[in-house]
Amino acid sequence: MGRGRVELKRIENKINRQVTFAKRRNGLLKKAYELSVLCDAEVALIVFSNRGKLYEFCSTSSSMAKTIDKYQRCSYAPVESNQSMHDTQSCYQEYLKLKAKVEMLQRSQRNLLGEELGDLNTKELKQLEHQLDSSLKQIRSTKTQFMVDQLSELQRKEELLLETNHALRKKLEETDAALQSSWATREQNVHYNHHPAAQPGDFVNPLQCNRNFRIGFNAGETGQVTVAATTEQNFNGFIPGWML
């Protein structure tokens, strides 16, 4: 009596499931080996148990990684080619959108400069006028703010320069005062310590004989000397001692 067909479903009994896994795993590895030998095929087999244990077989002498890399090149190359084509189409569509946007901005710029206004209707012209007014107000506001900021900066610099000038002036005054005091002290020291050289005319002049002096004997009194001085000499109150 032949063996019946086994229903393919998960084996609920844990022990039976583990035994079946071991038997069929060994049979699968054996079949892979036989296929690689009989047909000269490159076979790579990877099996993970329900506990995460790895079982593998590679028919070539090279490593499993090279076989997997070869599998990826052969399997995903068409997909990558399709993806590349899709990316190229997306880039082209994006290019067309950007080109249209650039053309619209260039046309708007020419309209703002007053060019190519013939194709615009009344509504578009009003919008352009409103846009120009808004831009002009913004420009004037920015210009005013810039001038105010610049004026504030100049005032700040002016204050700094005034403070620097005041400090330099004060320092100059202090330096002048110190110099004047130093010169005064030096002149005073020179006045106290300087003795002028004696000049020939600075010595005591010898008594000059006055022609009006009369020296002689008095006829009335013999033995007495009479000295007569001029009015100027008597006025000065000075009579030389040797004449007394």
Side-chain angles (χ1 to χ4, degrees):
M1 186 174 180
R3 182 179 178 183
R5 187 173 183 179
V6 180
E7 184 180 3
L8 294 178
K9 66 178 183 179
R10 183 176 181 270
I11 301 174
E12 298 298 336
N13 192 304
K14 184 177 180 180
I15 297 175
N16 294 337
R17 187 169 61 246
Q18 291 179 355
V19 172
T20 303
F21 173 76
K23 291 180 178 180
R24 290 185 176 266
R25 181 200 65 206
N26 294 332
L28 182 61
L29 294 174
K30 182 179 178 181
K31 292 293 183 182
Y33 171 74
E34 292 176 354
L35 179 62
S36 64
V37 173
L38 294 176
C39 301
D40 195 17
E42 184 177 354
V43 180
L45 178 62
I46 299 175
V47 179
F48 287 96
S49 66
N50 58 352
R51 296 182 179 181
K53 190 174 182 180
L54 172 64
Y55 301 92
E56 63 179 4
F57 169 78
C58 184
S59 60
T60 61
S61 59
S62 60
S63 63
M64 178 70 72
K66 293 183 178 179
T67 305
I68 294 175
D69 183 59
K70 185 177 180 180
Y71 165 76
Q72 289 179 348
R73 288 198 305 269
C74 296
S75 300
Y76 295 102
V79 177
E80 292 178 357
S81 179
N82 294 333
Q83 184 68 25
S84 177
M85 185 178 296
H86 182 267
D87 293 341
T88 302
Q89 293 178 356
S90 299
C91 292
Y92 183 72
Q93 295 294 330
E94 187 69 19
Y95 161 75
L96 293 177
K97 291 180 181 180
L98 292 175
K99 183 180 179 181
K101 187 175 182 179
V102 169
E103 291 177 353
M104 182 181 67
L105 292 175
Q106 289 178 349
R107 184 170 60 254
S108 176
Q109 183 180 6
R110 288 193 296 269
N111 293 334
L112 290 173
L113 294 175
E115 301 175 357
E116 300 180 2
L117 300 177
D119 298 334
L120 302 179
N121 53 26
T122 306
K123 183 178 180 180
E124 292 175 348
L125 290 174
K126 287 183 178 180
Q127 291 178 354
L128 181 61
E129 183 180 4
H130 178 71
Q131 185 176 0
L132 288 173
D133 291 337
S134 300
S135 301
L136 185 59
K137 291 180 181 179
Q138 185 69 24
I139 292 171
R140 288 176 178 174
S141 177
T142 305
K143 180 181 177 182
T144 304
Q145 184 64 34
F146 176 76
M147 294 178 66
V148 170
D149 295 340
Q150 191 174 12
L151 181 60
S152 300
E153 182 67 19
L154 291 175
Q155 290 178 351
R156 187 183 65 82
K157 290 182 179 180
E158 182 182 5
E159 293 177 357
L160 291 176
L161 290 175
L162 289 176
E163 292 178 358
T164 305
N165 189 14
H166 179 70
L168 292 175
R169 186 182 297 276
K170 184 177 180 180
K171 186 175 181 181
L172 181 60
E173 292 176 355
E174 294 176 354
T175 304
D176 291 341
L179 288 176
Q180 291 178 1
S181 176
S182 176
W183 279 109
T185 304
R186 185 177 298 179
E187 289 177 359
Q188 188 176 4
N189 294 333
V190 170
H191 178 72
Y192 287 154
N193 298 329
H194 178 67
H195 297 284
Q199 299 296 331
D202 293 339
F203 292 104
V204 179
N205 293 328
L207 292 175
Q208 297 179 359
C209 295
N210 195 325
R211 295 178 182 179
N212 294 323
F213 288 159
R214 293 191 300 273
I215 303 174
F217 294 97
N218 191 349
E221 297 179 3
T222 306
Q224 295 182 354
V225 179
T226 302
V227 179
T230 63
T231 305
E232 182 179 0
Q233 290 174 347
N234 292 330
F235 177 79
N236 293 332
F238 175 76
I239 299 176
W242 62 275
M243 297 177 66
L244 296 177

